[in-house]
Amino acid sequence: MKIAVALSAAALALPAPALAGEAFLGAYAHAVDLHVAIDYSDETGAQIVGGYRTDPVAALHLIGRPRLYVLGAANTAGGIDYAAAGLSWRFDLGRRFYVEPGIGGAIHSGDVNFPSPFDPGLSAAEQARRLNHVRNDLDLGSRVLFEPELSLGWRATERLAFEASWIHLSHAQLAGRQNPGLDDVGVRAVYRFGP
């Protein structure tokens, strides 16, 4: 979360013309079982997600003028927090609606690489503690993860929009076989500022 705050502060320090873009804030159901990730019941609470998206970046026209985004997510029950940054592409569906897929990278506050409960020489108490940790806590397998997301937006006014949004965290088994993934689904308000 500290990284998301630092990135947001850096974005706000940019010259005024660079501030054209959108700020968003929303609430998400956390660790939702969409059959894309492994369901972990001990990850509870809601995620509060806030962030910033630029206008389309003309310099990136070869890849469709994506928007740059940064976001931070804080868990209300002490679960996993994360920060992400990436690129998103907006496709209009008429005047009022749009779809916006994105792909980025994320870091998270959860534990990774739990110690094995089957290491030789463990006491029964330590083995039981490690087994409980493995069974009940989420090990995402890597501190750094991919962060694909998808939003469906509705423009209420010229400045205000609302989005239904899905955020996924995973390393696609590039960091090893331990890859349960994590899905958050929610809604967010989007405010457009600048010219």
Side-chain angles (χ1 to χ4, degrees), residues 101-144:
I103 183 71
I107 58 170
H108 65 91
S109 66
D111 294 333
V112 292
N113 301 320
F114 291 172
S116 172
F118 306 109
D119 285 340
L122 295 177
S123 68
E126 177 61 15
Q127 185 177 37
R129 186 191 72 76
R130 289 185 181 188
L131 272 170
N132 185 57
H133 193 40
V134 167
R135 288 181 181 144
N136 297 310
D137 295 322
L138 182 59
D139 179 353
L140 289 169
S142 174
R143 177 74 51 217
V144 179

Side-chain angles (χ1 to χ4, degrees), residues 3-178:
I3 291 176
V5 171
L7 289 172
S8 297
L12 292 174
L14 294 172
L19 280 178
E22 302 169 336
F24 55 86
L25 181 65
Y28 287 66
H30 180 60
V32 176
D33 185 9
L34 299 176
H35 304 292
V36 176
I38 296 171
D39 181 32
Y40 278 85
S41 60
D42 278 12
E43 268 301 307
T44 60
Q47 292 296 105
I48 305 302
V49 177
Y52 167 79
R53 271 191 298 239
T54 67
D55 279 343
V57 180
L60 298 177
H61 68 278
L62 291 176
I63 58 171
R65 297 183 65 208
R67 298 164 187 269
L68 306 177
Y69 70 85
V70 60
L71 65 83
N75 188 272
T76 61
I80 292 176
D81 300 329
Y82 55 88
L87 304 172
S88 66
W89 292 260
R90 182 169 296 169
F91 302 98
D92 288 330
L93 305 172
R95 274 187 60 236
R96 295 257 183 208
F97 292 93
Y98 59 89
V99 64
E100 188 154 352
I103 183 71
I107 58 170
H108 65 91
S109 66
D111 294 333
V112 292
N113 301 320
F114 291 172
S116 172
F118 306 109
D119 285 340
L122 295 177
S123 68
E126 177 61 15
Q127 185 177 37
R129 186 191 72 76
R130 289 185 181 188
L131 272 170
N132 185 57
H133 193 40
V134 167
R135 288 181 181 144
N136 297 310
D137 295 322
L138 182 59
D139 179 353
L140 289 169
S142 174
R143 177 74 51 217
V144 179
L145 303 168
F146 292 112
E147 183 264 339
E149 61 175 63
L150 181 64
S151 296
L152 176 62
W154 172 67
R155 293 180 188 94
T157 70
E158 191 174 301
R159 296 258 182 215
L160 183 63
F162 296 95
E163 295 178 350
S165 173
W166 165 68
I167 297 172
H168 179 72
L169 299 178
S170 170
H171 63 72
Q173 292 192 337
L174 295 177
R177 294 181 63 200
Q178 178 64 22

